Amino acid sequence: MRNRRKRQSNRIFPLKVDELKRIMESKFENNPDLIFSIYEQENKRVAVFFIGYMVEVEMAENYLLKPLLSMQKEWSKKSVLNEIPLGGSDTKDKLEDILHKIMIGEVFVYVEGEDAVVSYLLSKKEKRNLQQAESESLVLGPKVAFTESIVTNLNIVRYGIRSTDLVLEKLEVGKRAPREVRIIYLKSIANDTDINTMRQRLQDLEVDEIDDASVLMQYIEDSSSTIFPQFYLTELPDRFTYSVIKGKIGVLVENSPDAFIAPTSFFSFFESTEDLYMRWNAGTFLRILRFIAIFVAVLLTPAYVAATTFHYEVIPTQELITIGESRAAVPFPPIYEVLVLEFFIELLREAGARLPTKIGQTIGIVGGVVIGTAAVQAGITSNFLVVLVALSALASFTIPNYLMSTSVRIIRFPMIILAGTLGMVGMMFGICFLIIHLLKLKSLGRPYLAPIYPFRWEDFNKVLYRLPMQRQYKRFASYHPKDLIRFRKRKAVKKKDIDE
């Protein structure tokens, strides 16, 4: 009953045009771009109002104002709708709807005495041209990236998935500055539970505004306390469409050049769409290489600290002599030596990312060489450790996803501290803690470590290695898609010569 009274109180029509002008000017008191024009026809008055910089003014004049002023019929809500059949026309009778829609580029026509205004969507779309992806670089495959225009992004997705099953569900998120959000999935494949979960989380979200898809993703993730991303953030349309076809759910946000995908497995962050564009043998090799790289990135420098601090017996004698000679001039314990050098590497990486591209590359290369050489000569670190830290940094670069790469870089620091205080026991404690933590995580309610937990052997070829295309006839069973079969295995492997 209270909600009904509130909705009724928001209805302000019918009223005089002068009163409507007073209301709109009071709402946009400090906004000189509000255009409010009043026209008269015999005994009828009509108001046309909009925000100037949000509207294609030339289109409004040619296709709305001229037909309106040249109408032979008496002005009314019905006659305006019939005589000016522009796309995107609608009627609104609530002040809050008018205030919201005028800020996204709608033009309003109000005939004095009517019970609603007529609105036309004539918004001006500011967008940049399609460009090559920057944060996710590829050698093979499409290289175009999403833009800030959700219309352009939807067109790209539609072009990539030409199916009547494709659903582009529209929502608005944000109270004070609403933004359009699209839930995208294939209704014949995506799991209904996942769709409902995503829809509910977005509808239940009560925030003032959403700045970007990455911000929205953080609001609706299963766990906000973990360092690991639970949804896959991407700027690549081919990655997005590939995941949707597999049965996952994609989300696009207005004014965001990124999209995110859910549910997502931990192993998906080490998978690149480039693996699909090359031979399955090479794709498998690169995928395994990335999994090895994460162990190198997380454990290499902590293992050095643990071995040189507590466990000399695990180092071969010849190597121990080399390490001893290299560290002879270093006055600091191994843990301080490693932390200082890792800190230098992170500073270089962050400086290179924030500076312009050409300058950033120069800073990264020259800075690494200069600081590494100077640190060794100054006795801050050893030659041997410089090589290990460089290998660890290179290993973290092989992770295709920037958010996961950042998580791995951060994890390395507590692992170094554990190794420097408790040795190999501390390292094992850290590894066990990570495994337990990952086992507890979920992505849109699905296990984060699928298909290892719960164990599904038939899904291993989707995440850990690749099979030939003819043998990839099933979708990812761990997420329970409606249609598990991509194609019939017998027909895929059946080959005929042209003369048969």
Side-chain angles (χ1 to χ4, degrees), residues 172-212:
E172 285 191 349
V173 178
K175 286 184 175 180
R176 298 187 182 274
R179 283 202 182 180
E180 181 180 339
V181 176
R182 293 294 186 111
I183 305 174
I184 301 175
Y185 56 90
L186 285 172
K187 61 184 177 182
S188 61
I189 299 176
N191 186 280
D192 287 335
T193 302
D194 295 339
I195 298 170
N196 295 332
T197 302
M198 178 64 77
R199 185 188 299 115
Q200 180 184 358
R201 291 186 184 183
L202 291 173
Q203 289 176 341
D204 292 347
L205 186 61
E206 295 185 2
V207 292
D208 284 346
E209 79 287 332
I210 295 296
D211 298 316
D212 189 78

Side-chain angles (χ1 to χ4, degrees), residues 39 63 123 140 202:
Y39 305 95
Y63 298 102
S123 59
L140 301 176
L202 291 173

Side-chain angles (χ1 to χ4, degrees), residues 375-412:
V376 172
Q377 292 178 352
I380 298 174
T381 185
S382 62
N383 289 321
F384 190 81
L385 181 59
V386 170
V387 175
L388 294 185
V389 171
L391 284 174
S392 180
L394 285 174
S396 66
F397 288 142
T398 62
I399 301 173
N401 185 269
Y402 179 76
L403 294 179
M404 181 57 75
S405 175
T406 304
S407 300
V408 169
R409 287 157 47 193
I410 296 173
I411 288 170
R412 189 161 59 226

Side-chain angles (χ1 to χ4, degrees), residues 321-455:
I321 294 173
T322 304
I323 294 173
E325 292 175 351
S326 179
R327 293 201 70 254
V330 179
F332 307 112
I335 183 172
Y336 295 140
E337 181 187 6
V338 172
L339 287 175
V340 168
L341 201 54
E342 289 282 7
F343 182 69
F344 283 163
I345 292 293
E346 292 304 319
L347 283 180
L348 284 172
R349 192 196 310 245
E350 191 65 18
R354 301 294 162 238
L355 289 171
T357 306
K358 295 181 180 179
I359 301 176
Q361 292 175 352
T362 305
I363 289 293
I365 297 171
V366 176
V369 173
V370 171
I371 290 179
T373 304
V376 172
Q377 292 178 352
I380 298 174
T381 185
S382 62
N383 289 321
F384 190 81
L385 181 59
V386 170
V387 175
L388 294 185
V389 171
L391 284 174
S392 180
L394 285 174
S396 66
F397 288 142
T398 62
I399 301 173
N401 185 269
Y402 179 76
L403 294 179
M404 181 57 75
S405 175
T406 304
S407 300
V408 169
R409 287 157 47 193
I410 296 173
I411 288 170
R412 189 161 59 226
F413 284 93
M415 290 294 292
I416 291 171
I417 295 172
L418 287 172
T421 53
L422 300 174
M424 293 294 182
V425 175
M427 284 185 62
M428 289 306 301
F429 175 82
I431 293 171
C432 292
F433 177 83
L434 282 176
I435 293 174
I436 294 170
H437 178 67
L438 290 172
L439 287 171
K440 293 173 62 178
L441 287 181
K442 293 184 181 295
S443 174
L444 206 66
R446 302 291 182 184
Y448 194 57
L449 282 185
I452 289 182
Y453 173 79
F455 187 82

Side-chain angles (χ1 to χ4, degrees), residues 157-158 160-169 182-196 199 240-251 261-263 475 479-486:
V157 173
R158 271 290 186 192
I161 307 177
R162 304 178 190 180
S163 171
T164 56
D165 280 344
L166 185 65
V167 178
L168 308 171
E169 192 173 327
R182 293 294 186 111
I183 305 174
I184 301 175
Y185 56 90
L186 285 172
K187 61 184 177 182
S188 61
I189 299 176
N191 186 280
D192 287 335
T193 302
D194 295 339
I195 298 170
N196 295 332
R199 185 188 299 115
F240 187 87
T241 55
Y242 166 70
S243 300
V244 170
I245 292 173
K246 285 171 61 177
K248 297 185 179 182
I249 301 167
V251 175
I261 303 157
R475 293 186 176 87
Y479 294 153
H480 307 287
K482 292 179 184 176
D483 187 2
L484 186 61
I485 305 299
R486 295 179 61 218

